[in-house]
Amino acid sequence: MKFARPDHISDPDMLPQMPVWVTSARAETIEDVAFLSGAALNHLHVVLGRNEVPHALLRDRLALRAAEACVAFSGRFERAGDLRDAVHLLRPGDLPGPAGETYLSWRRAAERPVSVKALGRALPAFEPGQIATWLDAGEGAPVKRAALVLDAVLTEAPRAEVPALILADAALAQALGWDHVVPLLAAGLKRTDLRKRGDDLRLACHRALISSTREAVRLAADLARRTAHLKAVAPKLRAKGAGDAVDMFLTRDAVAPGALPLPDRAARRLCDRLVDLGAVRELTGRDTFRLYGV
């Protein structure tokens, strides 16, 4: 289903906060942990139904976090800034490298509505039939379904951690009636969790979703405030193409000036203007090859 969105735009600061008891309770049994993860996912579902949440931007930033976690699982040391550089500063003909490929897979998985075709675009090494078979491995409640998909992929392809986590999040989204993959599991799981199977893996997934859902809710509230400010200052921008540029900032984690629909000098001036207005941030701390984002 699609999220029901109110016709009015309310104050981003009024987004509902995660109840403290969801994240502070100490649960040991799988029944208690499952109850808490269900409460957390339900709260996130409510937040995602709010009109002021920038859904595409939220998914793109969660994709970055998921990619960062997966890169760490593989023993590599690239962090968020390295992943942004690997993808957003690519020149024609360049290859993004293993870490950049991981980030691209997550971005592609989250940017289009969930389908075998869309997931095949994110995971080109796997045939659509194989992807469909793995997705069908999940049944039952949403987290159980996601854990079964994760288990099935890792049992058959132990080194396919990124595809396994993407497909598990896809199964979770389908079970919850979400149109898009919302990257959640990778950021909450530990590397050792990916070696678990059966009920142990399901318990790990429940625990992971309690923590990652809490962070997703916090991020949604932060991005709602930031995008509201960007929309408020947008009428002050006079450059031709500024409206399309603002739309890019509202949907992407990071943007290079050269990607904006303006001449190079005008694009750099627009980015500087938006920084001065407090509407976007320069993300790299560099004097050259800069990236900007909400």
Side-chain angles (χ1 to χ4, degrees):
M1 73 176 190
K2 292 187 176 180
F3 294 113
R5 300 186 185 180
D7 293 332
H8 66 284
I9 297 177
S10 57
D11 184 353
D13 290 326
M14 297 302 291
L15 284 177
Q17 297 183 353
M18 182 81 74
V20 174
W21 59 265
V22 174
T23 55
S24 63
R26 294 180 61 85
E28 298 300 332
T29 67
I30 192 166
E31 291 82 5
D32 289 342
V33 176
F35 174 78
L36 293 175
S37 71
L41 285 168
N42 180 70
H43 185 83
L44 177 60
H45 184 85
V46 171
V47 168
L48 292 177
R50 296 292 290 265
N51 191 54
E52 55 269 48
V53 172
H55 293 83
L57 174 57
L58 174 63
R59 293 194 306 272
D60 204 30
R61 195 148 291 175
L62 289 174
L64 176 65
R65 293 187 176 187
E68 189 175 22
C70 288
V71 168
F73 292 155
S74 68
R76 300 183 65 90
F77 299 100
E78 289 91 342
R79 308 302 293 171
D82 303 308
L83 297 177
R84 284 174 172 144
D85 285 354
V87 169
H88 295 291
L89 299 181
L90 274 180
R91 293 175 296 183
D94 285 352
L95 297 175
E101 288 287 0
T102 296
Y103 182 23
L104 283 172
S105 292
W106 277 105
R107 294 190 77 210
R108 289 167 180 161
E111 68 185 3
R112 298 187 179 186
V114 180
S115 69
V116 171
K117 181 178 180 180
L119 292 168
R121 179 175 175 270
L123 304 170
F126 296 95
E127 294 293 329
Q130 179 64 79
I131 290 173
T133 297
W134 278 330
L135 284 176
D136 287 342
E139 58 182 11
V143 181
K144 179 183 177 182
R145 183 172 171 179
L148 286 171
V149 171
L150 186 60
D151 196 332
V153 179
L154 290 177
T155 297
E156 190 169 341
R159 297 176 63 86
E161 293 171 341
V162 173
L165 288 162
I166 287 175
L167 293 178
D169 273 330
L172 183 69
Q174 288 179 325
L176 291 167
W178 294 350
D179 292 338
H180 291 75
V181 171
V182 179
L184 293 172
L185 278 166
L189 288 168
K190 301 180 178 63
R191 186 177 185 180
T192 53
D193 290 331
L194 298 180
R195 295 196 289 270
K196 297 175 180 177
R197 294 293 179 268
D199 287 346
D200 290 338
L201 180 59
R202 182 153 55 101
L203 179 61
C205 287
H206 280 297
R207 292 189 187 281
L209 287 167
I210 294 171
S211 62
S212 62
T213 300
R214 175 187 59 199
E215 294 306 312
V217 168
R218 289 177 179 173
L219 181 59
D222 180 56
L223 292 178
R225 288 189 293 269
R226 292 179 182 276
T227 54
H229 180 55
L230 175 56
K231 292 176 182 178
V233 304
K236 300 179 182 180
L237 306 173
R238 303 302 180 190
K240 185 177 180 181
D244 291 336
V246 168
D247 287 342
M248 292 177 67
F249 285 113
L250 291 172
T251 58
R252 302 185 187 186
D253 164 71
V255 179
L260 296 175
L262 291 87
D264 287 346
R265 184 175 297 180
R268 290 194 296 271
R269 284 201 302 266
L270 176 65
C271 291
D272 290 340
R273 172 69 170 150
L274 288 170
V275 170
D276 290 341
L277 291 170
V280 304
R281 298 169 293 161
E282 201 288 309
L283 301 172
T284 69
R286 298 187 295 247
D287 293 330
T288 57
F289 301 106
R290 290 180 160 188
L291 297 173
Y292 298 83
V294 172

